[in-house]
Amino acid sequence: MNDYLSLSEAELRKYVIGHPDDEDAFQHYMEIVRSKPGRVVVKTTEQLIEEIKKRMAS
């Protein structure tokens, strides 16, 4: 299903929540989230700790 490509971010978020098995829609949503300035997406606890340390040092 490619209908999610025409949805707004808010609509896409609702769609992804309602369709947890749609991996393509989820990945599309994550691309949108990751592309926003100031957003940091970490995948591991170690990355989270490093990001916190960076922000505390600033």
Side-chain angles (χ1 to χ4, degrees):
M1 174 182 166
N2 289 340
D3 293 342
Y4 61 83
L5 295 174
S6 62
L7 299 176
S8 69
E9 181 181 349
E11 293 169 329
L12 180 57
R13 182 177 187 277
K14 287 179 186 177
Y15 176 83
V16 168
I17 290 169
H19 299 85
D21 294 334
D22 192 337
E23 182 67 23
D24 290 335
F26 174 74
Q27 291 302 326
H28 180 65
Y29 177 72
M30 291 307 298
E31 286 177 21
I32 292 170
V33 170
R34 288 182 183 127
S35 70
K36 291 185 175 187
R39 293 270 178 122
V40 176
V41 178
V42 295
K43 296 181 181 179
T44 66
T45 303
E46 291 80 16
Q47 288 176 336
L48 177 60
I49 292 168
E50 288 303 312
E51 187 61 31
I52 291 170
K53 286 179 182 178
K54 278 191 237 174
R55 290 176 184 236
M56 289 177 69
S58 297

